[in-house]
Amino acid sequence: MKPVRYQTLAGQSGGYWILLAVLAALVAIGYAAAHYMEVHGHYVTGMSNQIVWGTPHVFAVFLIVAASGALNTASISSVFGKGDYKPLARLSALLSVALLVGGLIVLVLDLGRPERLIVAMTYYNFKSIFAWNIFLYVGFLLVVAIYLWMMFEPRMNKFGKTAGTIAFIWRFVLTTGTGSIFGFLVARQAYDAAIMAPLFIIMSLSFGTAIFLLVLVAAFEWTGRPLDDDILRRLKNLLAIFVSAVLYMTLAYHLTNLYATEHHGVERFILLEGGVYTTVFWLLQVILGSIVPLIICFSPTLSRSRGALVAASILVVIGGLAQVYVIIVGAQAFPLVLFPGMEESSTFFDGAVNDYAPSAPEILLGIGGIALALLIAVVAMRVLPFLPERLGEQPSATSEPVTAEAATS
Amino acid sequence: MPSNNAKSNMNTERRVFIGRAGAAAAMLTLAPGVRLVDLALARSADEPASDQMRWGMLVDATKCAQGCTECVDACNEEFGLEGMGRPKTDAQYIRKIDLKDKTTGKRYSLPVMCQHCETAPCVDVCPTGASFRRVDGIVLVDKHICIGCRYCMMACPFKARSFVHENLTNQVPEAPRGKGTVESCTFCVHRVDRDREPACVEACSKAGHEALVFGDMNDPGSRLSQRLRQLPNRQIRADLGLNTGVRYHGV
């Protein structure tokens, strides 16, 4: 196989600076939103003593889950030895780090006491999956950083497979930890299910692949790099498999709950009578976020269109956010059952469906997290050669690379 | 004529009797007004809680009056819980829940607060260990290491916890609160450590209902234990096997 030439972004164009400025502004706005929430207290958000986790958690969990899946392409190349994906391994690892940092920042800034992050790093209760996740997240950043070093440094290339394998195992453990945040909650009707861990793993593969596909197309098209449709076709097939698998897991989850009488209430709520949650589930998660992308991916004509693939990926991202919204907020909107068989009412909203409307600060904080992830990626691609000059077997370009290095695959 | 053996038995019995009587006398009166029993129960501030006891409560729903909020009011006053006029974010350590049986239509009214579980889900999930259970069974939040992640609120089956959503003023010295941290019923630990009953229990008695009984579940002689033995009682969400410290009768 020909050596792959990597090249940094030139970063001279007006477009690059505008992109940078927009992302930086969104990050600044996100931080300002978090600051506003911290100064005034969480009453300025839509969150309450009923809906304790809201929109920031939806964005954070989505980004953290997607981070794990964004490493897919690197894993396929390093762990499963598929050479065609090798030129994209660096971008894949970069995105996974960037998305994780973006998600973690949102999570931390939503804490009631974000300044006590050091407490979270020094006091541990090892029966808490949250405590384990702190290790898993920080460890993941470290493992992928080392993996990137093995890929960048020609003398260390031989350790790439080992580092890639460790990162591959680590991300499965990490997403198991993230899913178990919900799986281990015995109190709530919608949680307390072992399927949460595998469901989150398959969600990560789907969301991560969609985001990777979007960043890949944008990075190549905006920098005028040749991009072979062959790699897009492969990624599209992967995406279709992952989206189908998420649908299957979702089906298995609901079927199991539907069989158990004690869960009929929450199932009726999410699937039929939950108002906005029912709409978000069926319209955004299932139809727009899963079925339409599947139609695009499996359609012989549509799937040949790059625009249609981009649209499918955007839909998967929207569907992913919708799915996490239903999992996190929808599950809390359904009241806790303290006395089965009784109608409950109180001044603390017992027995009542809890309403929640995302507030501007929450949404801005979440968008700030996405912007931070993209900003990290865009700056990193400018500083270090993450992107290959080209992808596919087209004739070589004549322009001189700004920075280039070769690596054999 | 008694044998030597019987004689020795009599002597032993006499010694035991004299010993016990002496101990009883000492326990009753050490000095005028000071009883040894009290000395054994009251703890000095630097003495740790004892794992020999487990504080608990019985809620007798048959005595709890519909519409009465004496316990809730007393709690709010004790902890300085001033509503901000925002019911969704205002803290409630104890609340009255009205129940109606879906089949029979029978109505119940009872207070629900932190159930002080033996294996508390909030304690399990807290990443920093800020949610903890004292050896005497009282579940508390260490507000110095609570980071405000609210995972405990997600985990609590009883919706017993509140998050401080705003800046606070007029705090009560005995029970400091903190913006951005989670809080809940403490069984009035500041009172219990001084041999007083929780504010809700006191208020319920004062109102003449006697629907709340507080005490040591491990002491078979305590009023609580006696009532728990007399009255059929249950735990909320008993299916979770959490062995709650609060039990309910009449529902």
Side-chain angles (χ1 to χ4, degrees):
Chain A
M1 203 170 202
K2 281 185 194 165
V4 184
R5 289 173 68 83
Y6 294 92
Q7 189 183 345
T8 58
L9 299 185
Q12 308 291 341
S13 68
Y16 180 80
W17 287 106
I18 289 171
L19 178 65
L20 220 54
V22 168
L23 291 176
L26 288 174
V27 171
I29 292 169
Y31 181 76
H35 183 69
Y36 174 75
M37 281 159 57
E38 199 196 336
V39 169
H40 292 271
H42 273 61
Y43 85 90
V44 298
T45 71
M47 292 179 278
S48 61
N49 285 326
Q50 286 61 241
I51 307 285
V52 301
W53 285 354
T55 304
H57 303 81
V58 173
F59 278 96
V61 168
F62 174 83
L63 285 168
I64 290 167
V65 166
S68 158
L71 197 67
N72 258 348
T73 309
S75 299
I76 294 169
S77 111
S78 300
V79 182
F80 300 104
K82 302 282 181 203
D84 294 339
Y85 289 94
K86 179 133 188 128
L88 294 174
R90 292 179 181 186
L91 176 66
S92 164
L94 168 65
L95 260 186
S96 97
V97 167
L99 290 169
L100 185 59
V101 171
L104 289 180
I105 290 283
V106 174
L107 207 57
V108 167
L109 287 179
D110 176 75
L111 290 177
R113 303 302 295 254
E115 84 282 3
R116 288 187 183 168
L117 185 60
I118 188 71
V119 173
M121 301 294 226
T122 44
Y123 288 78
Y124 288 106
N125 163 30
F126 286 108
K127 202 180 173 185
S128 167
I129 189 67
F130 242 35
W132 282 101
N133 281 345
I134 294 169
F135 282 101
L136 290 174
Y137 296 152
V138 175
F140 183 75
L141 294 176
L142 197 70
V143 165
V144 178
I146 293 169
Y147 180 31
L148 273 169
W149 175 38
M150 301 299 149
M151 288 194 276
F152 269 92
E153 173 58 54
R155 286 172 302 166
M156 307 302 273
N157 281 173
K158 57 181 179 288
F159 300 116
K161 179 162 183 163
T162 310
T165 307
I166 292 171
F168 176 72
I169 295 169
W170 199 286
R171 77 189 177 93
F172 274 92
V173 179
L174 180 146
T175 316
T176 299
T178 310
S180 298
I181 290 174
F182 304 97
F184 288 178
L185 284 177
V186 296
R188 293 185 188 262
Q189 301 287 314
Y191 303 145
D192 186 24
I195 201 171
M196 283 294 173
L199 173 65
F200 270 58
I201 287 178
I202 203 73
M203 278 157 63
S204 84
L205 300 177
S206 172
F207 309 164
T209 304
I211 293 179
F212 180 79
L213 223 147
L214 289 173
V215 172
L216 175 71
V217 172
F220 273 70
E221 292 207 342
W222 293 350
T223 58
R225 292 167 202 236
L227 175 62
D228 188 6
D229 276 328
D230 187 49
I231 195 83
L232 288 182
R233 189 184 50 78
R234 287 159 183 252
L235 284 170
K236 174 214 70 176
N237 289 342
L238 273 179
L239 184 66
I241 291 167
F242 295 148
V243 169
S244 314
V246 173
L247 264 186
Y248 166 74
M249 288 280 206
T250 307
L251 180 73
Y253 164 83
H254 286 293
L255 276 181
T256 309
N257 272 357
L258 281 169
Y259 199 81
T261 309
E262 66 162 322
H263 295 311
H264 284 182
V266 71
E267 285 300 320
R268 175 173 286 276
F269 178 72
I270 297 290
L271 301 179
L272 292 175
E273 296 167 354
V276 66
Y277 306 104
T278 303
T279 310
V280 169
F281 175 78
W282 286 111
L283 186 68
L284 294 184
Q285 181 188 331
V286 175
I287 298 174
L288 285 176
S290 309
I291 293 175
V292 175
L294 282 178
I295 291 172
I296 293 174
C297 288
F298 286 125
S299 151
T301 45
L302 278 176
S303 66
R304 257 183 263 143
S305 148
R306 199 171 281 190
L309 279 190
V310 168
S313 301
I314 291 172
L315 286 174
V316 170
V317 169
I318 292 171
L321 281 165
Q323 181 167 18
V324 179
Y325 193 86
V326 172
I327 289 176
I328 294 181
V329 184
Q332 295 174 83
F334 186 75
L336 279 170
V337 178
L338 269 65
F339 296 91
M342 301 271 193
E343 278 173 23
E344 302 168 21
S345 65
S346 77
T347 54
F348 210 46
F349 305 97
D350 286 279
V353 170
N354 302 301
D355 51 314
Y356 166 81
S359 64
E362 292 171 82
I363 297 169
L364 293 173
L365 172 60
I367 291 174
I370 293 182
L372 178 68
L374 294 176
L375 186 66
I376 291 170
V378 169
V379 170
M381 284 189 261
R382 169 73 182 83
V383 177
L384 288 170
F386 280 97
L387 281 184
E389 267 180 15
R390 62 174 48 262
L391 218 50
E393 300 297 319
Q394 285 126 333
S396 65
T398 49
S399 63
E400 271 298 304
V402 180
T403 312
E405 65 174 61
T408 49
S409 44
Chain B
M1 205 172 145
S3 68
N4 277 350
N5 210 1
K7 208 174 186 175
S8 130
N9 273 352
M10 263 173 68
N11 278 341
T12 313
E13 278 165 21
R14 193 161 51 205
R15 278 193 212 110
V16 169
F17 170 73
I18 292 169
R20 283 185 183 160
M27 277 169 80
L28 287 172
T29 327
L30 196 69
V34 178
R35 287 178 303 160
L36 199 62
V37 178
D38 272 0
L39 284 184
L41 282 177
R43 299 191 292 109
S44 61
D46 56 351
E47 195 185 339
S50 164
D51 60 0
Q52 299 301 305
M53 49 178 43
R54 183 180 179 201
W55 295 114
M57 190 186 280
L58 173 69
V59 177
D60 186 344
T62 60
K63 294 182 174 174
C64 184
Q66 196 113 27
C68 171
T69 57
E70 293 285 343
C71 55
V72 178
D73 299 339
C75 176
N76 288 346
E77 191 177 334
E78 184 75 17
F79 288 91
L81 305 180
E82 297 170 347
M84 314 292 282
R86 297 188 287 261
K88 282 201 249 172
T89 52
D90 283 344
Q92 295 199 29
Y93 292 3
I94 180 172
R95 63 199 193 266
K96 282 292 294 290
I97 296 191
D98 291 317
L99 299 175
K100 184 183 162 198
D101 192 307
K102 284 178 190 166
T103 314
T104 65
K106 183 167 168 50
R107 290 178 182 275
Y108 306 85
S109 179
L110 42 84
V112 172
M113 73 297 283
C114 171
Q115 303 288 298
H116 298 278
C117 312
E118 185 183 14
T119 49
C122 59
V123 174
D124 287 347
V125 304
C126 177
T128 65
S131 271
F132 70 102
R133 183 177 179 271
R134 238 169 62 148
V135 288
D136 57 5
I138 302 181
V139 174
L140 296 170
V141 179
D142 180 343
K143 278 149 195 168
H144 297 285
I145 57 171
C146 172
I147 58 172
C149 71
R150 286 104 80 200
Y151 195 20
C152 56
M153 298 175 75
M154 292 291 282
C156 176
F158 313 105
K159 204 164 175 280
R161 294 200 153 184
S162 295
F163 180 67
V164 182
H165 283 80
E166 61 271 301
N167 290 302
L168 298 169
T169 49
N170 299 327
Q171 292 213 44
V172 177
E174 288 85 6
R177 307 168 63 202
K179 177 184 160 196
T181 62
V182 175
E183 52 186 19
S184 58
C185 158
T186 67
F187 259 171
C188 281
V189 67
H190 58 287
R191 284 169 156 252
V192 171
D193 281 348
R194 294 189 181 95
D195 279 343
R196 293 179 64 199
E197 289 193 310
C200 55
V201 179
E202 201 177 270
C204 188
S205 300
K206 213 176 270 180
H209 299 305
E210 303 276 352
L212 304 176
V213 182
F214 181 80
D216 180 4
M217 295 170 96
N218 284 355
D219 173 8
S222 73
R223 190 162 151 253
L224 173 68
S225 296
Q226 289 171 4
R227 295 294 289 277
L228 286 173
R229 279 197 301 272
Q230 288 162 4
L231 300 173
N233 61 83
R234 54 167 289 194
Q235 308 172 38
I236 311 182
R237 291 299 310 267
D239 59 313
L240 297 175
L242 304 174
N243 188 9
T244 57
V246 179
R247 306 294 171 92
Y248 288 80
H249 165 67
V251 57

